[in-house]
Amino acid sequence: MAQLAAVSDSARLDAELLLAHVLGRSRSSLFAYASESLAPAPAQRFAALVQQRSAGAPVAYLTGRKEFWSMDLSVGPGVLVPRPDTEVLVEWALKCLPRDARGRVVDLGTGSGAIALALAKERPRAEVWAVERSAEALKIAKANTERLLPGRVRILQGDWWNELSGRFALAVSNPPYIAARDPHLAALKAEPYEALTDGADGLSALRAIIAGAPRYLEPGAWLLLEHGWDQAEAVRTLLSVAGFSEVGSRRDFGGHERVSGGRWLGDGGET
Ligand SMILES: C[S@@+](CC[C@H](N)C(=O)[O-])C[C@H]1O[C@@H](n2cnc3c(N)ncnc32)[C@H](O)[C@@H]1O
């Protein structure tokens, strides 16, 4: 445990998740076996995983799994590990979509497919699309869709909007937003560089998505964007300057403004 505590704020949880993975049991069931000692083979596998975790590998890469929106997603080194705070974006998106919405929805930069799958799960009649540039992430998103909600998310390889056509009732994105010079980037070395940073000031992906949006949004559609804790004001300004209305932000579980969005009322301002 001390070995894990040196690299992780959640050493106990990490150890339990790794042990449950090695034993092929749920984490909650571990307590029923607490007095049993580990057989040599699982003990060795567990020790090897603790070693990798201590070297910086995310638990989710070691177990191959991450829970998001109560779904058991497959993840691996080709994708960002979905974060609990991204559920704030999903919650806002669901408020923008009536329960029986049949409209078209798109998740730009879908990674593991986390956001798109959460929306498809909660809005069974909506037509959900997802775009991803990385071929490796695309494979994982497709595998998650096939396993969890077959046929429900249409996944395209592309650069933000460029492979899409038609208009959407809602667009969401959690794009790479860490600035290339942000010192926090170094601590995230296990995850794909292009999933975390735009390689520039941290706002270039957000700028590209906002600039492209008007051609692809129906009048009245919302565009919701996750971003860094210190980028809310900049993103709200980008949205307002691009002509979005009802621009605002939502706070994450730590109290930081981490999702901003606006409503596209159409070129003529009509809904
Ligand atoms: C921060 S990750 C978010 C992944 C996932 N949506 C989530 O919330 O867990 C950003 C994703 O955007 C993808 N991406 C980066 N640049 C892109 C581009 N120009 N077009 C499409 N996807 C892009 C990355 O490969 C990565 O999967």
Side-chain angles (χ1 to χ4, degrees):
M1 188 81 81
Q3 203 181 343
L4 288 178
V7 294
S8 171
D9 295 337
S10 53
R12 188 183 181 90
L13 174 64
D14 293 4
E16 288 173 3
L17 289 167
L18 294 176
L19 186 58
H21 173 66
V22 164
L23 296 176
R25 291 182 187 146
S26 69
R27 189 178 142 236
S28 55
S29 75
L30 288 180
F31 303 101
Y33 301 91
S35 56
E36 282 181 26
S37 53
L38 270 183
Q44 231 172 35
R45 284 208 302 279
F46 178 60
L49 291 177
V50 168
Q51 181 63 41
Q52 290 175 64
R53 175 73 190 113
S54 308
V59 172
Y61 285 177
L62 300 174
T63 61
R65 289 286 197 255
K66 179 71 184 179
E67 186 174 315
F68 182 83
W69 203 261
S70 301
M71 294 179 299
D72 176 36
L73 295 174
S74 294
V75 293
V79 282
L80 185 95
V81 177
R83 308 294 203 264
D85 283 333
T86 298
E87 295 193 348
V88 172
L89 170 62
V90 173
E91 280 166 11
W92 190 358
L94 293 175
K95 291 204 172 97
C96 300
L97 281 179
R99 252 173 214 295
D100 58 350
R102 291 171 184 271
R104 300 172 83 220
V105 172
V106 64
D107 172 23
L108 300 170
T110 199
S112 61
I115 302 170
L117 283 163
L119 298 179
K121 179 180 169 193
E122 299 298 335
R123 295 294 179 263
R125 290 164 186 249
E127 184 182 310
V128 182
W129 291 73
V131 175
E132 173 55 54
R133 188 171 60 181
S134 145
E136 219 172 323
L138 204 71
K139 245 189 271 169
I140 293 176
K142 284 185 174 168
N144 277 324
T145 299
E146 281 320 300
R147 189 169 52 82
L148 296 168
L149 290 174
R152 284 301 323 286
V153 181
R154 303 169 195 214
I155 305 175
L156 297 178
Q157 187 163 21
D159 181 0
W160 304 134
W161 302 98
N162 77 342
E163 290 300 318
L164 294 167
S165 54
R167 292 190 182 259
F168 292 84
L170 171 72
V172 295
S173 182
N174 173 19
Y177 54 71
I178 303 179
R181 288 166 62 179
D182 188 324
H184 296 102
L185 200 54
L188 299 165
K189 55 185 179 293
E191 292 172 282
Y193 182 81
E194 54 289 352
L196 296 164
T197 177
D198 58 352
D201 66 350
L203 288 169
S204 64
L206 290 152
R207 269 188 216 104
I209 293 169
I210 293 169
R215 265 187 64 194
Y216 295 93
L217 296 179
E218 292 171 358
W222 283 89
L223 172 64
L224 306 180
L225 302 161
E226 184 167 332
H227 50 70
W229 64 273
D230 55 352
Q231 293 171 326
E233 199 179 331
V235 176
R236 286 194 299 264
T237 302
L238 287 169
L239 286 163
S240 299
V241 169
F244 283 81
S245 302
E246 300 176 48
V247 170
S249 300
R250 296 285 187 278
R251 292 182 192 275
D252 67 9
F253 303 125
H256 297 109
E257 289 183 325
R258 288 285 314 290
V259 184
S260 295
R263 204 162 177 211
W264 182 249
L265 298 183
D267 292 317
E270 79 282 8
T271 44

